[in-house]
PDB file of all heavy atoms in Angstrom:
ATOM      1  N   LEU D 452      80.967 -44.069 -37.184  1.00  0.00           N
ATOM      2  CA  LEU D 452      82.031 -43.072 -37.002  1.00  0.00           C
ATOM      3  C   LEU D 452      81.921 -42.441 -35.601  1.00  0.00           C
ATOM      4  O   LEU D 452      82.905 -42.278 -34.866  1.00  0.00           O
ATOM      5  CB  LEU D 452      81.906 -41.992 -38.065  1.00  0.00           C
ATOM      6  CG  LEU D 452      83.098 -41.118 -38.323  1.00  0.00           C
ATOM      7  CD1 LEU D 452      84.260 -41.967 -38.861  1.00  0.00           C
ATOM      8  CD2 LEU D 452      82.744 -40.044 -39.349  1.00  0.00           C
ATOM      9  N   ASP D 453      80.706 -42.094 -35.219  1.00  0.00           N
ATOM     10  CA  ASP D 453      80.477 -41.463 -33.929  1.00  0.00           C
ATOM     11  C   ASP D 453      80.832 -42.409 -32.782  1.00  0.00           C
ATOM     12  O   ASP D 453      81.515 -42.037 -31.825  1.00  0.00           O
ATOM     13  CB  ASP D 453      78.985 -41.051 -33.830  1.00  0.00           C
ATOM     14  CG  ASP D 453      78.646 -40.407 -32.504  1.00  0.00           C
ATOM     15  OD1 ASP D 453      79.476 -39.603 -32.010  1.00  0.00           O
ATOM     16  OD2 ASP D 453      77.569 -40.724 -31.929  1.00  0.00           O
ATOM     17  N   LEU D 454      80.372 -43.686 -32.898  1.00  0.00           N
ATOM     18  CA  LEU D 454      80.650 -44.654 -31.814  1.00  0.00           C
ATOM     19  C   LEU D 454      82.169 -44.862 -31.695  1.00  0.00           C
ATOM     20  O   LEU D 454      82.697 -44.913 -30.578  1.00  0.00           O
ATOM     21  CB  LEU D 454      79.941 -45.987 -32.098  1.00  0.00           C
ATOM     22  CG  LEU D 454      78.422 -45.938 -32.058  1.00  0.00           C
ATOM     23  CD1 LEU D 454      77.845 -47.297 -32.501  1.00  0.00           C
ATOM     24  CD2 LEU D 454      77.908 -45.590 -30.665  1.00  0.00           C
ATOM     25  N   CYS D 455      82.854 -44.972 -32.844  1.00  0.00           N
ATOM     26  CA  CYS D 455      84.304 -45.173 -32.795  1.00  0.00           C
ATOM     27  C   CYS D 455      85.007 -44.007 -32.103  1.00  0.00           C
ATOM     28  O   CYS D 455      85.959 -44.193 -31.361  1.00  0.00           O
ATOM     29  CB  CYS D 455      84.862 -45.304 -34.205  1.00  0.00           C
ATOM     30  SG  CYS D 455      84.565 -46.874 -34.968  1.00  0.00           S
ATOM     31  N   SER D 456      84.479 -42.801 -32.349  1.00  0.00           N
ATOM     32  CA  SER D 456      85.187 -41.620 -31.826  1.00  0.00           C
ATOM     33  C   SER D 456      84.884 -41.386 -30.345  1.00  0.00           C
ATOM     34  O   SER D 456      85.634 -40.704 -29.655  1.00  0.00           O
ATOM     35  CB  SER D 456      84.804 -40.382 -32.646  1.00  0.00           C
ATOM     36  OG  SER D 456      83.429 -40.071 -32.419  1.00  0.00           O
ATOM     37  N   ARG D 457      83.784 -41.918 -29.837  1.00  0.00           N
ATOM     38  CA  ARG D 457      83.419 -41.579 -28.439  1.00  0.00           C
ATOM     39  C   ARG D 457      83.434 -42.732 -27.463  1.00  0.00           C
ATOM     40  O   ARG D 457      83.214 -42.544 -26.283  1.00  0.00           O
ATOM     41  CB  ARG D 457      82.056 -40.889 -28.445  1.00  0.00           C
ATOM     42  CG  ARG D 457      82.065 -39.532 -29.166  1.00  0.00           C
ATOM     43  CD  ARG D 457      80.923 -38.671 -28.763  1.00  0.00           C
ATOM     44  NE  ARG D 457      79.659 -39.143 -29.295  1.00  0.00           N
ATOM     45  CZ  ARG D 457      78.492 -38.935 -28.704  1.00  0.00           C
ATOM     46  NH1 ARG D 457      78.441 -38.314 -27.578  1.00  0.00           N
ATOM     47  NH2 ARG D 457      77.387 -39.354 -29.282  1.00  0.00           N
ATOM     48  N   LEU D 458      83.685 -43.975 -27.958  1.00  0.00           N
ATOM     49  CA  LEU D 458      83.714 -45.095 -27.023  1.00  0.00           C
ATOM     50  C   LEU D 458      85.132 -45.610 -26.896  1.00  0.00           C
ATOM     51  O   LEU D 458      85.866 -45.700 -27.886  1.00  0.00           O
ATOM     52  CB  LEU D 458      82.799 -46.244 -27.489  1.00  0.00           C
ATOM     53  CG  LEU D 458      81.289 -45.977 -27.454  1.00  0.00           C
ATOM     54  CD1 LEU D 458      80.546 -47.181 -27.988  1.00  0.00           C
ATOM     55  CD2 LEU D 458      80.819 -45.674 -26.025  1.00  0.00           C
ATOM     56  N   ASP D 459      85.504 -45.992 -25.681  1.00  0.00           N
ATOM     57  CA  ASP D 459      86.856 -46.542 -25.460  1.00  0.00           C
ATOM     58  C   ASP D 459      86.838 -48.059 -25.678  1.00  0.00           C
ATOM     59  O   ASP D 459      85.816 -48.707 -25.487  1.00  0.00           O
ATOM     60  CB  ASP D 459      87.295 -46.261 -24.015  1.00  0.00           C
ATOM     61  CG  ASP D 459      87.477 -44.772 -23.786  1.00  0.00           C
ATOM     62  OD1 ASP D 459      87.811 -44.075 -24.769  1.00  0.00           O
ATOM     63  OD2 ASP D 459      87.218 -44.315 -22.650  1.00  0.00           O
ATOM     64  N   GLY D 460      87.991 -48.579 -26.035  1.00  0.00           N
ATOM     65  CA  GLY D 460      88.145 -50.047 -26.132  1.00  0.00           C
ATOM     66  C   GLY D 460      87.909 -50.579 -27.519  1.00  0.00           C
ATOM     67  O   GLY D 460      87.987 -51.785 -27.730  1.00  0.00           O
ATOM     68  N   GLY D 461      87.597 -49.742 -28.467  1.00  0.00           N
ATOM     69  CA  GLY D 461      87.422 -50.196 -29.839  1.00  0.00           C
ATOM     70  C   GLY D 461      85.996 -50.610 -30.131  1.00  0.00           C
ATOM     71  O   GLY D 461      85.330 -51.265 -29.314  1.00  0.00           O
ATOM     72  N   VAL D 462      85.523 -50.190 -31.299  1.00  0.00           N
ATOM     73  CA  VAL D 462      84.169 -50.584 -31.737  1.00  0.00           C
ATOM     74  C   VAL D 462      84.335 -51.291 -33.081  1.00  0.00           C
ATOM     75  O   VAL D 462      84.703 -50.661 -34.083  1.00  0.00           O
ATOM     76  CB  VAL D 462      83.243 -49.342 -31.886  1.00  0.00           C
ATOM     77  CG1 VAL D 462      81.843 -49.819 -32.274  1.00  0.00           C
ATOM     78  CG2 VAL D 462      83.215 -48.523 -30.616  1.00  0.00           C
ATOM     79  N   ALA D 463      84.075 -52.561 -33.076  1.00  0.00           N
ATOM     80  CA  ALA D 463      84.097 -53.292 -34.334  1.00  0.00           C
ATOM     81  C   ALA D 463      82.811 -53.040 -35.105  1.00  0.00           C
ATOM     82  O   ALA D 463      81.881 -52.448 -34.570  1.00  0.00           O
ATOM     83  CB  ALA D 463      84.225 -54.808 -34.064  1.00  0.00           C
ATOM     84  N   LEU D 464      82.774 -53.462 -36.353  1.00  0.00           N
ATOM     85  CA  LEU D 464      81.566 -53.300 -37.151  1.00  0.00           C
ATOM     86  C   LEU D 464      81.153 -54.635 -37.725  1.00  0.00           C
ATOM     87  O   LEU D 464      82.004 -55.393 -38.208  1.00  0.00           O
ATOM     88  CB  LEU D 464      81.813 -52.290 -38.295  1.00  0.00           C
ATOM     89  CG  LEU D 464      80.620 -52.053 -39.214  1.00  0.00           C
ATOM     90  CD1 LEU D 464      79.482 -51.316 -38.501  1.00  0.00           C
ATOM     91  CD2 LEU D 464      81.025 -51.257 -40.459  1.00  0.00           C
ATOM     92  N   MET D 465      79.894 -54.936 -37.637  1.00  0.00           N
ATOM     93  CA  MET D 465      79.382 -56.161 -38.282  1.00  0.00           C
ATOM     94  C   MET D 465      78.141 -55.816 -39.080  1.00  0.00           C
ATOM     95  O   MET D 465      77.116 -55.446 -38.543  1.00  0.00           O
ATOM     96  CB  MET D 465      79.077 -57.243 -37.247  1.00  0.00           C
ATOM     97  CG  MET D 465      78.892 -58.620 -37.894  1.00  0.00           C
ATOM     98  SD  MET D 465      78.596 -59.933 -36.709  1.00  0.00           S
ATOM     99  CE  MET D 465      80.242 -60.204 -36.063  1.00  0.00           C
ATOM    100  N   LEU D 466      78.289 -55.919 -40.414  1.00  0.00           N
ATOM    101  CA  LEU D 466      77.138 -55.695 -41.301  1.00  0.00           C
ATOM    102  C   LEU D 466      76.618 -57.058 -41.682  1.00  0.00           C
ATOM    103  O   LEU D 466      77.330 -57.855 -42.312  1.00  0.00           O
ATOM    104  CB  LEU D 466      77.557 -54.932 -42.552  1.00  0.00           C
ATOM    105  CG  LEU D 466      78.170 -53.552 -42.400  1.00  0.00           C
ATOM    106  CD1 LEU D 466      78.516 -52.965 -43.761  1.00  0.00           C
ATOM    107  CD2 LEU D 466      77.211 -52.635 -41.638  1.00  0.00           C
ATOM    108  N   GLY D 467      75.373 -57.341 -41.307  1.00  0.00           N
ATOM    109  CA  GLY D 467      74.813 -58.668 -41.642  1.00  0.00           C
ATOM    110  C   GLY D 467      73.420 -58.781 -41.093  1.00  0.00           C
ATOM    111  O   GLY D 467      72.836 -57.805 -40.628  1.00  0.00           O
ATOM    112  N   CYS D 468      72.891 -59.996 -41.161  1.00  0.00           N
ATOM    113  CA  CYS D 468      71.539 -60.255 -40.653  1.00  0.00           C
ATOM    114  C   CYS D 468      71.644 -61.021 -39.355  1.00  0.00           C
ATOM    115  O   CYS D 468      72.435 -61.955 -39.219  1.00  0.00           O
ATOM    116  CB  CYS D 468      70.741 -61.043 -41.692  1.00  0.00           C
ATOM    117  SG  CYS D 468      69.157 -61.624 -41.038  1.00  0.00           S
TER     118      CYS D 468
END
Side-chain angles (χ1 to χ4, degrees):
Chain D
L452 198 64
D453 179 41
L454 294 174
C455 283
S456 68
R457 294 201 288 152
L458 291 178
D459 294 330
V462 183
L464 179 68
M465 194 177 283
L466 300 180
C468 171

